[in-house]
Amino acid sequence: MYDVIVVGGGPTGLMLAAELRLHDVDVVVLEKRDEPSGESRGQGLHARSVEMMDQRGMLDRFLAVSEKFQVDGLFGGIMKPWPESLDTAHPYGLATPQPVTERLLDERARELGTEIRRGCEVVGLSQDEDGVSVELADGTRLRSRHLVGCDGGRSTVRKLIGVDFPGEPATVETLLGDMEVTADQATITAVVEEVRKTQMRFGVVPGENGVFRIVVPADGVSEDRAAPTLDEFRQQLRAFAGTDFGVHSPRWLSRFGDATRQAERYRVGRVFLAGDAAHIHPPTGGQGMNLGIQDAFNLGWKLAAAVDGWAPEGLLDTYEAERHPAGARVVENTRAQMMLLGADAGATALRELFSKLMDFEEVNRYVTGMITAVDVRYDLGEGHELLGLRMRDVELKEGRLYELMRGGRGLLLDRTGRLSVEGWADRVDHVVDTGEELDVPAVLLRPDGHVAWVGEDQEELRGRLTEWFGAAKG
């Protein structure tokens, strides 16, 4: 019997498995595909995901194979520079193709001891008071204490546990793929610049090894969502650009719509949903893969606490309470961005208005913080202005804050030297440090870096430790 079965071996499932293995949770990842798909829908990590990789000691791996970016057009294609006052020590994204992200997370999960099974399709699921039973397509049966569905927008797990997936159906579709072209770069640049004056869902972007990322509106909305053909790309490119750029040798071809849906519940008993299994939306703003990784980062330590037996009552319920609103916000802002990307006169006027608004530093910072998720704040009740926010990386006398969080434990960062985590030392580290960047007496950080308490009163601290890390030992 496993502690946790993770269904789905994409970035969300692999990140979750790695988080669980930090705490020696016995986890298996079941992936339907025999091999990685090679499709690169997710094009990189936003600032909050970059922070998470730093918090777990993986950032150097990503930096070695990625380019930093502060891309203009982060929201609805509106070209504005990044705000200077974004609250992060990592004010950039990483251009990392999804297959590379999957490879790095797969390596990390395996290094930590994760069992990963490919070619394993889940076809049945049931649960009782003691655990979850799973049936695979080949007749194999497995059992675990908990299960997490990270199996995409058409999630089998979500369907098997009967969770509704309400939302808005697609009204437009866009073709997306990587392929080679024969047109020269000067021609491509000139044509794209002209087309994007009226059609924002269009692009021909150079990548590595002579391969271009092609984006072009589809001819209507397909019924079966089957992968488009190269001829369909050629037809739509000619319709919008007057040329097909000589596209050939496709690496992969796909289509996506503007449907937005969100699972009504993220938890049913011992079964959880994360990533696209819990929410789907257009890829505007590049938030999808990041949102799933952030779901995993929130759930991992809580599920590990339940397995280890110290989770306080209600801790597992905070996953849905915190991540459902985060998912809803992404669903909403992608709907808004799709309106801005429209080709009619109303959309053009709306885009011009938003462009003027984003000239204000406060508006630009708000929008960029929303897209990059560095401003996510969980509702942890009333208190200090930092409560519920994740803490940015700060320089301490003992090093950087994120370097102290590599083990996935809680952390009391104490400038007073008078506080104690006695009774919780097996779950929470205590660091006394008077670094100048920390301007509060002490902060209690959860394993995901979000602030659970700010103050200097020991009794208050004990209450928060009990609330988030269970009963004291001894």
Side-chain angles (χ1 to χ4, degrees):
M1 181 172 179
Y2 293 98
D3 291 327
V4 179
I5 292 174
V6 175
V7 182
T12 301
L14 294 169
M15 184 71 185
L16 177 60
E19 286 294 289
L20 292 168
R21 286 301 303 155
L22 278 179
H23 303 277
D24 296 323
V25 173
D26 187 15
V27 58
V28 61
V29 175
L30 305 178
E31 169 53 50
K32 180 179 178 180
R33 300 170 300 176
D34 291 321
E35 299 291 339
S37 70
E39 292 190 7
S40 186
R41 291 174 177 249
Q43 282 294 288
L45 301 181
H46 280 316
R48 179 56 186 140
S49 297
V50 171
E51 291 182 338
M52 291 176 178
M53 298 309 165
D54 193 9
Q55 286 175 260
R56 294 300 183 258
M58 291 188 284
L59 182 55
D60 285 346
R61 303 186 190 195
F62 282 86
L63 289 173
V65 295
S66 310
E67 293 291 335
K68 294 182 180 180
F69 68 82
Q70 288 186 333
V71 63
D72 296 342
L74 202 60
F75 184 80
I78 297 173
M79 307 301 285
K80 300 293 178 182
W82 274 44
E84 295 181 0
S85 55
L86 198 63
D87 181 33
T88 177
H90 298 284
Y92 57 86
L94 289 178
T96 315
Q98 185 166 328
V100 177
T101 297
E102 286 192 21
R103 174 175 61 80
L104 294 177
L105 292 176
D106 184 283
E107 291 173 358
R108 169 69 169 174
R110 291 179 189 273
E111 287 170 4
L112 292 171
T114 303
E115 179 183 353
I116 300 176
R117 300 191 189 182
R118 288 194 167 274
C120 293
E121 180 181 2
V122 172
V123 296
L125 184 156
S126 62
Q127 61 176 313
D128 52 42
E129 292 183 358
D130 299 318
V132 183
S133 297
V134 169
E135 181 181 355
L136 305 183
D138 64 2
T140 302
R141 294 180 180 275
L142 302 173
R143 189 161 171 82
S144 64
R145 296 172 63 179
H146 302 277
L147 181 143
V148 186
C150 305
D151 51 340
R154 301 180 184 182
S155 171
T156 297
V157 171
R158 187 184 65 240
K159 295 170 184 175
L160 288 173
I161 61 175
V163 171
D164 289 336
F165 203 41
E168 300 295 326
T171 59
V172 296
E173 274 190 350
T174 306
L175 306 183
L176 175 68
D178 287 348
M179 61 203 77
E180 296 180 38
V181 304
T182 58
D184 62 87
Q185 185 60 61
T187 299
I188 293 172
T189 300
V191 172
V192 170
E193 184 176 311
E194 185 64 27
V195 174
R196 284 181 62 84
K197 290 179 180 178
T198 57
Q199 177 52 259
M200 299 297 291
R201 290 188 296 119
F202 184 92
V204 182
V205 182
E208 295 182 349
N209 303 318
V211 176
F212 284 71
R213 168 63 53 90
I214 307 290
V215 184
V216 62
D219 183 15
V221 177
S222 63
E223 294 184 2
D224 58 6
R225 295 295 303 280
T229 64
L230 185 59
D231 282 341
E232 188 174 351
F233 269 85
R234 289 174 175 142
Q235 175 183 323
Q236 292 307 106
L237 287 169
R238 291 174 191 141
F240 284 91
T243 175
D244 62 14
F245 302 104
V247 294
H248 65 96
S249 304
R251 303 302 192 268
W252 60 271
L253 306 174
S254 68
R255 67 176 78 239
F256 64 87
D258 63 339
T260 51
R261 297 186 181 279
Q262 186 175 23
E264 285 192 335
R265 303 176 63 185
Y266 281 18
R267 179 191 182 189
V268 176
R270 293 177 172 270
V271 181
F272 301 79
L273 300 173
D276 288 353
H279 38 68
I280 61 169
H281 51 82
T284 44
Q287 300 167 90
M289 182 179 69
N290 290 273
L291 184 61
I293 288 173
Q294 291 154 22
D295 286 344
F297 206 65
N298 182 285
L299 178 59
W301 70 275
K302 297 173 182 178
L303 205 50
V307 170
D308 290 345
W310 59 260
E313 183 178 358
L315 181 65
L316 289 180
D317 289 330
T318 67
Y319 168 64
E320 179 177 318
E322 293 175 355
R323 294 310 297 171
H324 196 282
R329 189 171 75 153
V330 172
V331 167
E332 291 169 358
N333 83 52
T334 54
R335 284 175 178 163
Q337 290 185 74
M338 288 304 294
M339 295 294 292
L340 291 171
L341 294 174
D344 58 27
T348 299
L350 190 62
R351 195 158 53 244
E352 291 177 355
L353 174 60
F354 264 76
S355 180
K356 293 175 181 177
L357 290 173
M358 287 183 66
D359 285 334
F360 292 96
E361 174 73 11
E362 295 84 354
V363 176
N364 194 2
R365 184 174 63 250
Y366 173 84
V367 170
T368 306
M370 174 178 64
I371 297 296
T372 61
V374 298
D375 71 343
V376 169
R377 181 175 197 158
Y378 298 139
D379 184 3
L380 305 190
E382 295 185 3
H384 193 277
E385 61 182 8
L386 290 176
L387 190 64
L389 291 170
R390 100 281 177 261
M391 176 159 279
R392 61 174 290 159
D393 193 20
V394 296
E395 290 289 342
L396 305 169
K397 289 191 174 181
E398 294 192 18
R400 294 188 298 111
L401 172 62
Y402 286 1
E403 292 174 340
L404 304 177
M405 306 191 73
R406 301 286 162 82
R409 294 160 52 88
L411 175 66
L412 175 64
L413 193 55
D414 177 13
R415 294 185 69 194
T416 71
R418 301 189 304 270
L419 299 172
S420 170
V421 296
E422 184 179 357
W424 290 273
D426 59 324
R427 289 152 274 173
V428 181
D429 294 324
H430 181 196
V431 175
V432 177
D433 197 299
T434 57
E436 295 181 358
E437 283 195 65
L438 186 66
D439 59 359
V440 294
V443 292
L444 176 65
L445 301 179
R446 308 187 322 185
D448 58 4
H450 282 259
V451 177
W453 174 80
V454 180
E456 53 186 323
D457 182 86
Q458 181 65 45
E459 286 306 307
E460 285 185 6
L461 172 60
R462 289 181 61 85
R464 283 293 182 165
L465 285 166
T466 302
E467 178 181 357
W468 289 106
F469 297 97
K473 287 187 177 181

